[in-house]
Amino acid sequence: MTSHQSTQTMKPATAAKKLGVYLEATPAEFREGAVSRAELNALQADPPPWLRDLRRDGPHPRPVVAAKLGVSVSGLARGGITEPLTTEQIEALKQERPEWLERERATQAEVRKEAARLRKRDAERAERAERAERAERAEQGG
């Protein structure tokens, strides 16, 4: 009995998201067809010129813009940024340092700080629980 592996495909929008590029800026042949897992892996391993250019110059999708600016996607929206931006536009915003960007960066820093505090707290709780469990087993085992 032989097993057949079906080819997994994804919509171009999904592939673009995984590649970190803005779908509307990709070539028509990319937007118009399904992308197989093998094709996606090949694009990631050896990006063609169009993909390298998009990643370098944009326009970039909102999650990439947010990451490059150090804010959340929601923070972009609060700042009035709803469209994809080019690398040049992102750099201009970094230079201008508008009030909303500074405020959102501070908010994002607080979010990261709180997340780190919670991770540390949870790790400490897990460690205490593990010590208690070991002590209980040792007590029962004699």
Side-chain angles (χ1 to χ4, degrees), residues 51-101:
L51 182 54
R52 286 195 302 271
D53 291 346
L54 268 181
R55 286 178 168 169
R56 184 186 61 240
D57 302 326
H60 303 287
R62 285 181 302 162
V64 174
V65 173
K68 287 177 179 278
L69 289 173
V71 300
S72 67
V73 174
S74 300
L76 279 182
R78 285 189 294 271
I81 307 294
T82 57
E83 297 297 317
L85 299 180
T86 64
T87 299
E88 190 176 309
Q89 291 169 314
I90 293 168
E91 291 305 316
L93 273 173
K94 286 180 179 178
Q95 294 299 316
E96 292 167 15
R97 301 173 66 116
E99 182 188 330
W100 71 264
L101 180 58

Side-chain angles (χ1 to χ4, degrees), residues 66-67 69-76 78 100-115:
L69 289 173
V71 300
S72 67
V73 174
S74 300
L76 279 182
R78 285 189 294 271
W100 71 264
L101 180 58
E102 294 302 310
R103 187 175 55 250
E104 292 299 334
R105 281 181 166 174
T107 299
Q108 193 67 8
E110 286 298 316
V111 167
R112 284 192 296 271
K113 190 170 143 184
E114 179 65 5

Side-chain angles (χ1 to χ4, degrees), residues 13-33:
T14 303
K17 186 174 182 177
K18 289 179 182 285
L19 292 169
V21 296
Y22 180 56
L23 177 63
E24 299 306 314
T26 61
E29 59 269 13
F30 180 85
R31 288 192 310 269
E32 292 166 2

